[in-house]
Structures are given as C-alpha cells and as structure tokens.
C-alpha cells in the first residue's frame, strides 16, 4: 500500500567518515571496474576509449556524484523521496533510478555468481590444465543449472547484508574487504607486467588511436563512467542521505572518484599485458577476467593458486559491496514509499531480481526469449549501461540545476560556508547546462550509430520505458 508521505524519521547514520567513504567506494568499485572496464576497453579499441572515459569521469562523473551526494544529504531521503519531497512532478527521476537498480540486478548477480563459483573451481584444480581454462569458462556460463545455483548463493549473501541495515552490514563489509582487494590487484598487475611481451598490452591500453573512435565508442565510455561510479540511478543519493551534516562532500567525492578510477586502471594494467603476452584477442568479451587471471596464475604453482583464490574472493566481495547498494536503492524505496518492513522489502525485491537473473543466465546458453537477436543478459546490460544511467544522470543534473535553489546547493556543499569550494560556480554551470546537453548529444549519437549493429532498437526501447515511467510515475 502506498503511504507516499512518510515523515522523515531519524536516520541510521554512517558510523564514521572513513566508513562512509569506504562504503561509497565499495558501491563504486565492483564488477564494473574489474570485469566490465577491461573488456569494454578491449572491445572499443583501447587507448582512445580509456582517454575519453577518463575525461568523462573527471568532468561529468565527479560533478554528478557531488550532485547526488548533495541531493541525498539535503533531503535526507532515499531516491524517490528525495525528488518527491521537493516536487512531486520530479518523482519520476527517482522511479527511473529504482527501475535501473532492478534492471542492473537482473544480470549483476549472475556475474557475481561466476566470481563466487571460481573460488571452489580454482581450489579444485582449474589451474592444473591452463589450456582448458577458456573452454571451461564458456562451458560453465552456458550450462543451464550450475550458474543459477551460484547466482542464488550470491543473492542470498546480498539479502543477509542488506537485511541488517546500512551500518550493520554494508559499512563493515566495505571497511574490511576493500583494501584487501586493492592489494590483490596490485599483485596481479605486477605479475602481468613481468611477462615477456607485456609492453604491447600497456601500449594498447594507453596509446590512443583516435581512428577507432565513433559515436558508439563515446557512448560506451560515458556509460562505463556512469556504471563504474554508481551514478545516474540514485545509489549515491541514497548513500548521501545517510551522510552526516559535517562531512566534506567535495573531498568525499574526490576520494571515491579517485579510488574507483584507480581500481579500473589497475584492472586494465593487470589484464592487458597478460593478454598480449598470451596472444589473446583484446576484444575477448565478458569472459576476459575469468580466463586471463586464472591463466596468469596457472604458471606460478602453489603461490599462483593462493593468489588466484584471493583474487576471486576479492572480486566476489567487490561485487557484493556494489550490489548491496543497488539492492538498497530498491529496498529503501519500498520502505520509505510503500511502508514495507526492511526484511519484507529485501525479500520481495530479491525475488524479482532472482527471476530476472534466471532469464539472463539462461540466455548465455542461447535459451529463452530474444529481442532483435539480443538475449536477456545483453538486453539488461544495454538498457542500463548505455541508456538508463546516463539519462537518469542527465535528469538528476537538470533537477539540481533548474529545480533546486542555487543558494541551497551552495550551503549544502559548503556546509553553510564552513568548507571552501572555489569551483562551485564551475560545478554549478556544468550541472545546469553542460552535462545535460553533453549527455543528450552523446546518447542520441550513440543510439543512432547503434542501429548499424541492431542494438539501436533496444536503446530506443529504453527511452520508451523511461518516457512511460515519467508519465505514470505519479501513480507508483
Ligand atoms: N559501480 C558498480 C560497479 O562498478 C555498479 C553499480 C552501478 C552500483 C550503479 C550501483 C549503481 O560494479
């Protein structure tokens, strides 16, 4: 039953500043950095993609994240409530965010499940036959049953963490396990770089070749920036709503953006040199990390086994600290707007997500419905990464720039003048004018060029869903 108008209850706050930064960085750093960034860079030609991605992260990503933190803390509400409490007509932006959360959780746990599955796979001898690692991955993800069980196990972990509430579960998980992951990635990168022929990989990753750039590559870079930084759907609004008034938002944003980007680049540095040394194709696709990393460690004997195990434990944890934030967006909407108890909200959201994941997982074995020749897994990925997040981010900026009051924003970001932010004017103009126009142009050009590969129709579908959500959102 919709209650719609729940008065602001005292909110659970983040235990400490570090706890918040680590939790927000935990949301940002995930499969997006370690699984998606390397293969997307590989498929989009390497260096030039990376450069455009970095430019988007610095100019658009930083600004949008600061905007989300400011909106969240200003309104002290989760994603739908924060728009609704300002202006009912804007609640559609929040609903689009909740929908994006659902859609991403329609495939994210599938990949989270792969990472989890690789822990016992490696422990039980996957590395003994390095030549078979690639085939074994292909066989595993297209199996109708195995990945589903791992996806279910992964979702249960999410349910347990999110049921406990933010400072009980999410914060602790982030604080302990993020630094561990960073260390393991450094080990992987050092090992990769020590291989003969590794230099070609670095060159691929960092030497831009602009002849490979078209509007689809630019959209992929924009989508990657939004996805990797957890932006455009209110995850950071929800997290910001729990943030204490005295924290410095600008500094926090800088730290989260910095960590996220460092991990993505580190993952690239870990993956590409090894790939080139192994003579693999840079455009190897979603299996990249699941094939390259085990192969890299296979030649290192017992030590390699240990590192490989730690890597996949770390990857699972990184995925978890991200997916709990996706689940939290949907859950806090159900709690605040629909009056549900936390446990009921977590369980109902997870049931829907599990059902979507079943279709997503089966589609990788060629089973199940297709749309324009694209399977369910790819549809969810395309809808969210290429359209929903960027368009959501655009609306968040328009809301902040055109609906909120400049003075209120300045007070929120500078903690009533106590924190200096000399670039406030620049940030404000970026958010009000530049980012909405830039995102619209990149999205339109990318969608048009997507028609060549048949993906354009699915992206148009995303726009139709967004449009109809906007129209019916008052009833939700
Ligand atoms: N940023 C997360 C990752 O890189 C994914 C995510 C997207 C999380 C959007 C929350 C919101 O894996």
């Amino acid at each position: 039953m919709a209650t719609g108008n729940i008065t602001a209850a005292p909110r659970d706050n983040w235990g400490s500043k570090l706890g918040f930064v680590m939790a927000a960085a935990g949301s940002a750093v995930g499969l997006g950095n370690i699984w998606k960034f390397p293969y997307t860079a590989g498929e989009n030609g390497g260096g030039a993609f990376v450069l455009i991605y970095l430019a988007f992260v610095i100019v658009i990503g930083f600004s949008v994240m600061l905007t989300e933190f400011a909106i969240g803390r200003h309104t002290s509400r989760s994603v739908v409530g924060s728009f609704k409490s300002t202006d009912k007509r804007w609640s559609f932006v929040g609903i689009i965010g909740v929908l994006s959360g659902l859609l991403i959780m329609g495939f994210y746990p599938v990949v989270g499940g792969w990472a989890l599955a690789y822990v016992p796979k490696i422990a039980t001898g996957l590395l003994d036959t390095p030549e078979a690692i690639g085939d074994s991955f292909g066989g595993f993800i297209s199996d109708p049953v195995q990945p589903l069980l791992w996806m279910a196990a992964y979702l249960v972990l999410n349910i347990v963490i999110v049921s406990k509430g933010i400072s009980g579960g999410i914060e602790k998980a982030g604080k302990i396990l993020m630094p561990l992951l960073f260390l393991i990635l450094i080990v992987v990168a050092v090992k990769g770089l020590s291989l003969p022929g590794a230099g070609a990989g670095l060159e691929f990753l960092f030497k831009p070749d602009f002849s490979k750039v078209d509007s689809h590559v630019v959209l992929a870079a924009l989508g990657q920036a939004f996805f990797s930084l957890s932006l455009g759907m209110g995850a950071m609004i929800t997290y910001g709503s729990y943030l204490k008034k005295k924290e410095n938002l600008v500094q926090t944003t800088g730290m989260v953006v910095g960590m996220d980007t460092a991990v993505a680049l580190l993952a690239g540095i870990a993956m590409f040199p090894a790939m080139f040394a192994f003579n693999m194709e840079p455009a190897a696709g979603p299996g990249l990390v699941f094939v390259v990393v085990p192969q890299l460690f296979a030649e290192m004997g017992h030590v390699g086994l240990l590192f490989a195990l730690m890597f996949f434990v770390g990857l699972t944890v990184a995925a978890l600290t991200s997916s709990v934030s996706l689940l939290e967006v949907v859950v806090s909407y159900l709690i605040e707007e629909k009056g549900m108890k936390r446990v009921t909200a977590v369980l109902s959201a997870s049931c829907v997500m599990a059902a979507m994941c079943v279709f997503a997982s089966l589609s990788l074995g060629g089973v199940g419905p297709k749309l324009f020749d694209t399977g369910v897994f790819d549809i969810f990925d395309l809808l969210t990464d290429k359209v929903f997040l960027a368009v959501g981010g655009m609306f968040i900026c328009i809301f902040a720039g055109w609906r909120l009051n400049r003075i209120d924003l300045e007070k929120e970001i500078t903690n009533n003048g106590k924190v200096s932010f000399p670039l406030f004017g620049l940030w404000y103009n970026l958010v009000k004018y530049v980012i909405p126009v830039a995102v619209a142009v990149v999205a339109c050009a990318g969608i048009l060029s997507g028609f060549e590969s048949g993906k354009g129709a699915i992206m148009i579908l995303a726009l139709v869903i967004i449009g109809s959500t906007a129209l019916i959102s008052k009833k939700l």
Side-chain angles (χ1 to χ4, degrees):
M1 193 192 66
T3 54
N5 200 9
I6 291 173
T7 42
R11 288 177 77 85
D12 199 0
N13 266 321
W14 296 98
S16 66
K17 180 181 167 79
L18 188 66
F20 176 78
V21 174
M22 291 318 255
S27 164
V29 176
L31 295 172
N33 309 57
I34 301 164
W35 164 71
K36 205 175 201 333
F37 173 76
Y39 87 76
T40 311
E43 286 177 344
N44 287 286
F49 168 89
V50 174
L51 209 66
I52 300 170
Y53 161 77
L54 287 177
F56 283 151
V57 164
I58 295 167
V59 180
I60 299 184
F62 181 93
S63 310
V64 176
M65 189 178 290
L66 184 56
T67 311
E68 291 204 18
F69 282 156
I71 295 177
R73 193 173 69 171
H74 188 62
T75 56
S76 267
R77 299 285 178 93
S78 64
V79 60
V80 175
S82 59
F83 293 99
K84 205 170 175 181
S85 62
T86 313
D87 185 338
K88 268 203 151 90
R89 287 172 303 175
W90 280 87
S91 44
F92 79 94
V93 184
I95 303 274
I96 292 171
V98 173
L99 248 163
S100 312
L102 259 181
L103 282 171
I104 297 177
M105 283 301 274
F107 70 93
Y108 205 96
V110 174
V111 185
W114 299 347
L116 189 59
Y118 263 57
V119 177
K121 274 183 187 297
I122 283 170
T124 54
L126 180 77
L127 306 190
D128 297 346
T129 40
E131 349 49 83
I133 288 173
D135 290 343
S136 145
F137 175 76
F140 169 62
I141 64 162
S142 53
D143 185 275
V145 185
Q146 262 201 61
L148 292 185
L149 300 177
W150 289 106
M151 177 274 289
Y154 178 86
L155 254 181
V156 168
L157 292 174
N158 282 271
I159 294 173
V160 172
I161 299 176
V162 177
S163 301
K164 287 188 176 160
I166 62 145
S167 54
I170 299 174
E171 186 174 348
K172 281 200 193 91
K175 229 197 275 189
I176 303 169
L177 297 159
M178 290 291 301
L180 178 72
L181 175 72
F182 203 76
L183 288 179
I184 303 169
L185 264 179
I186 292 177
V187 174
V188 182
V190 169
K191 169 67 189 157
L193 284 171
S194 71
L195 295 174
L202 278 188
E203 196 168 299
F204 177 80
L205 196 59
F206 292 116
K207 198 166 161 204
D209 172 359
F210 284 101
S211 68
K212 290 184 178 151
V213 175
D214 59 16
S215 49
H216 205 70
V217 171
V218 180
L219 178 61
L222 184 70
Q224 179 62 32
F226 273 97
F227 187 89
S228 183
L229 293 166
S230 304
L231 298 176
M233 53 157 286
M236 294 304 182
I237 293 183
T238 308
Y239 272 25
S241 73
Y242 297 106
L243 195 54
K244 287 181 186 139
K245 289 287 178 199
K246 63 174 194 316
E247 306 299 4
N248 181 335
L249 295 186
V250 180
Q251 208 182 52
T252 306
T253 307
M255 284 163 79
V256 176
V257 171
M259 283 192 233
D260 187 73
T261 311
V263 176
L265 292 177
L266 199 55
I269 297 172
M271 240 50 78
F272 284 100
M275 278 184 75
F276 277 78
F278 294 147
N279 273 327
M280 287 167 69
E281 263 297 301
L288 191 64
V289 58
F290 292 93
V291 178
V292 171
V293 172
Q295 217 162 310
L296 190 69
F297 286 132
E299 49 178 58
M300 285 172 70
H302 290 312
V303 187
L305 181 70
L306 187 69
F307 282 146
L309 276 176
M310 286 186 354
F311 178 85
F312 283 100
V313 171
L315 185 61
T316 308
V317 170
L320 269 174
T321 55
S322 299
S323 52
V324 291
S325 76
L326 288 157
L327 182 54
E328 178 69 22
V329 167
V330 184
V331 166
S332 52
Y333 162 70
L334 294 175
I335 296 174
E336 284 174 30
E337 300 298 318
K338 301 288 170 201
M340 279 190 192
K341 288 213 181 67
R342 180 165 275 271
V343 176
T344 324
V346 172
L347 289 177
S348 25
S350 308
C351 280
V352 177
M353 291 161 181
M356 294 164 73
C357 284
V358 168
F359 283 106
S361 183
L362 290 177
S363 74
L364 296 172
V367 182
K370 279 192 172 177
L371 196 65
F372 303 106
D373 216 24
T374 312
V376 176
F377 186 101
D378 293 333
I379 293 177
F380 289 162
D381 178 39
L382 254 173
L383 288 179
T384 48
D385 176 65
K386 297 276 183 337
V387 185
F388 266 73
L389 297 183
V391 172
M394 178 182 85
F395 280 125
I396 289 171
C397 288
I398 298 177
F399 173 76
W402 297 87
R403 183 61 189 81
L404 293 181
N405 188 321
R406 180 180 170 136
I407 312 269
D408 286 346
L409 282 169
E410 186 157 16
K411 279 190 186 153
E412 190 61 53
I413 289 178
T414 61
N415 296 357
N416 275 325
K418 286 199 249 346
V419 169
S420 104
F421 180 36
L423 298 180
F424 178 83
L426 175 65
W427 167 79
Y428 186 75
N429 285 311
L430 279 174
V431 166
K432 187 164 181 163
Y433 305 104
V434 181
I435 297 177
V437 175
V439 169
V441 170
V442 172
C444 288
I447 289 172
L448 286 179
S449 80
F451 277 105
E452 286 153 27
S453 59
K455 307 267 191 270
I458 294 169
M459 295 193 242
I460 295 285
L461 177 71
L463 291 180
V464 173
I465 302 176
I466 292 176
S468 17
T469 310
L471 289 177
I472 61 166
S473 65
K474 284 194 205 74
K475 299 204 176 61
L476 294 167

